[in-house]
Amino acid sequence: MYASCQKTVLVTGGAGFLGSHLCDRLLMEGNKVISLDNFHTGSRSNHLHQASNPNFEVIQADVADPLPNLRVQEIYHLACPASPPHYQESPTSTLKTNLLGAINVLNLALRTGARVLLASTSEIYGDPLVHPQPEDYFGNVNSFGERACYDEGKRAAEALFHAYAAEKGVDIRIARIFNTYGPRMQPDDGRVVSNFVVEALQDQPITIYGDGSQTRSFCYVDDLVEGFVRLMASDVRTPVNLGNPGEFSVTELAAMVVAMTGSRSPVTYLPLPSDDPRRRRPNIAKAERLLDWRPTISLKDGLGPTIAYFRDIVADQPADSRSSPLQSVV
Ligand code: NAD
Ligand code: UDP
């Protein structure tokens, strides 16, 4: 039986968008939480509201470097830039983060006997030829393209998790996360939801890459965190898709954001980045069956608090110092 008493939990990438929400949830359940982050794409401000909690600790460190000997019962391994313009800034750093980071957290898990969960990604399916994507689809990935540092890095991380489980008995969990959005994304994160919302709130052109017919399936952060916690508590040692099966084209997302913000933004079309997947939607039958998990928050309902969060940020910035959302490299 898996202990449900207070645990000490390490969250790598805890200062990031997903990590900071996960820290909230784990603290709320009475756990001791250690966030380990190098603040590359995360922000100290994501931890401000947690700083006075005696059960919370922050360690500034890089997961690609050997990790301190922490006594922990669980590790959620999230440290990695997730937005294409960020992970493409330095492909070698992204690969090191994925490969050395996975080895370092797995070795820590081996030393401490901790259960360890990898934040993997729908990107491991590449530009999928099977739709929607079930976990037993092996993917269609370009090892030599702009996304390789991230999607091949995550595939290698999954392979490392599998190897450490099979050969050394490490107790692993793997979440394949599909596009997740919500408050605490950085305004210059560069992913589509934050870009469109920030552009709309500033009445700047909405930047659609390509013709906007490509699709994504958007999951609200609270649903995703619930899936993380259920997966960690389960006995499922094989990859599980976590995402919202509601599928939208990028054009549809732009229209929703413009309507919900009351924006006067026009739409502008920029080139489609190379290897940008044409469509993406999770098959979540495995999570439904084994974790009794399914998303409960629609895109429209999740966009409300997301827009409110970015509205406060935009309002706090003087108009002449507002930075533009980060655009992808082509
Ligand atoms: P994020 O960029 O907001 O958070 C990543 C965090 O990791 C940041 O706080 C960053 O500073 C930290 N980090 C990066 N490299 C590091 C390193 N070498 N050492 C220590 N810390 C480092 O992104 P996110 O959306 O919160 O994503 C979190 C995890 O979930 C990532 O592993 C990402 O690949 C995965 N994921 C996210 C999504 C999504 O839609 N949000 C989808 C698929 C997978
Ligand atoms: N996208 C866009 N405009 C933007 C940012 C992204 O049209 O300002 C597109 C991007 O080309 C992709 C989709 O939106 O087709 C989702 O992009 P994101 O970077 O959020 O995630 P990923 O491509 O990694 O799923």
Side-chain angles (χ1 to χ4, degrees):
M1 177 70 182
Y2 194 61
S4 60
C5 55
Q6 185 189 56
K7 295 171 291 247
T8 303
V9 185
L10 173 65
V11 180
T12 75
F17 158 54
L18 293 182
S20 64
H21 286 276
L22 177 62
C23 289
D24 282 347
R25 169 68 184 262
L26 295 169
L27 286 167
M28 195 186 74
E29 289 178 354
N31 299 295
K32 290 184 192 284
V33 176
I34 304 169
S35 166
L36 185 147
D37 204 295
N38 68 353
F39 302 105
H40 171 208
T41 54
S43 166
R44 286 182 187 280
S45 64
N46 283 340
H47 281 329
L48 275 182
H49 64 289
Q50 298 153 338
S52 60
N53 189 322
N55 284 331
F56 186 63
E57 185 186 338
V58 181
I59 298 175
Q60 181 166 0
D62 192 314
V63 281
D65 297 331
L67 298 177
N69 257 328
L70 302 166
R71 291 171 66 85
V72 294
Q73 285 80 54
E74 289 181 350
I75 305 170
Y76 288 85
H77 178 39
L78 276 63
C80 179
S83 160
H86 283 301
Y87 67 65
Q88 289 164 353
E89 259 164 36
S90 172
T92 51
S93 297
T94 301
L95 278 160
K96 282 182 188 161
T97 293
N98 274 310
L99 300 176
L100 300 176
I103 291 170
N104 287 329
V105 297
L106 284 162
N107 281 332
L108 179 62
L110 190 60
R111 291 197 298 274
T112 59
R115 182 174 287 186
V116 56
L117 182 149
L118 171 66
S120 185
T121 169
S122 54
E123 291 279 327
I124 65 103
Y125 300 120
D127 191 6
L129 306 176
V130 170
H131 192 75
Q133 294 79 55
E135 288 85 352
D136 58 5
Y137 175 51
F138 291 165
N140 176 37
V141 179
N142 177 7
S143 66
F144 212 70
E146 296 292 339
R147 289 186 177 236
C149 60
Y150 184 71
D151 49 29
E152 294 289 16
K154 288 285 186 179
R155 287 174 72 92
E158 284 200 12
L160 280 161
F161 269 62
H162 180 256
Y164 269 71
E167 194 181 324
K168 300 172 192 288
V170 173
D171 190 13
I172 63 158
R173 304 289 181 272
I174 297 179
R176 290 185 180 156
I177 306 163
F178 286 65
N179 299 65
T180 301
Y181 67 97
R184 296 194 205 146
M185 296 182 90
Q186 298 297 312
D188 63 351
D189 177 273
R191 282 175 278 184
V192 68
V193 173
S194 51
N195 272 10
F196 284 4
V197 172
V198 172
E199 288 160 351
L201 290 173
Q202 298 182 160
D203 290 322
Q204 289 175 1
I206 304 281
T207 52
I208 291 183
Y209 304 161
D211 64 6
S213 62
Q214 71 270 33
T215 68
R216 294 293 187 272
S217 301
F218 298 102
C219 186
Y220 188 64
V221 60
D222 291 359
D223 280 333
L224 199 276
V225 168
E226 179 66 31
F228 267 162
V229 170
R230 286 186 187 221
L231 177 59
M232 182 63 105
S234 78
D235 58 4
V236 184
R237 295 182 175 79
T238 51
V240 179
N241 287 341
L242 295 179
N244 190 322
E247 185 180 358
F248 297 84
S249 71
V250 164
T251 300
E252 287 171 328
L253 174 69
M256 281 178 80
V257 169
V258 168
M260 288 180 69
T261 51
S263 174
R264 288 177 279 119
S265 291
V267 168
T268 186
Y269 292 88
L270 297 177
L272 187 70
S274 61
D275 293 336
D276 198 291
R278 293 292 317 153
R279 56 190 182 161
R280 182 181 293 151
R281 175 183 176 184
N283 175 328
I284 60 163
K286 186 170 176 180
E288 288 184 310
R289 190 174 74 254
L290 297 179
L291 309 180
D292 191 24
W293 176 87
R294 61 200 57 77
T296 58
I297 300 162
S298 68
L299 179 55
K300 190 159 187 283
D301 287 347
L303 280 176
T306 307
I307 290 168
Y309 157 81
F310 281 116
R311 203 184 284 284
D312 285 348
I313 290 184
V314 168
D316 283 350
Q317 291 176 335
D320 55 358
S321 74
R322 281 177 195 159
S323 56
S324 292
L326 195 60
Q327 302 303 334
S328 207
V329 291
V330 181

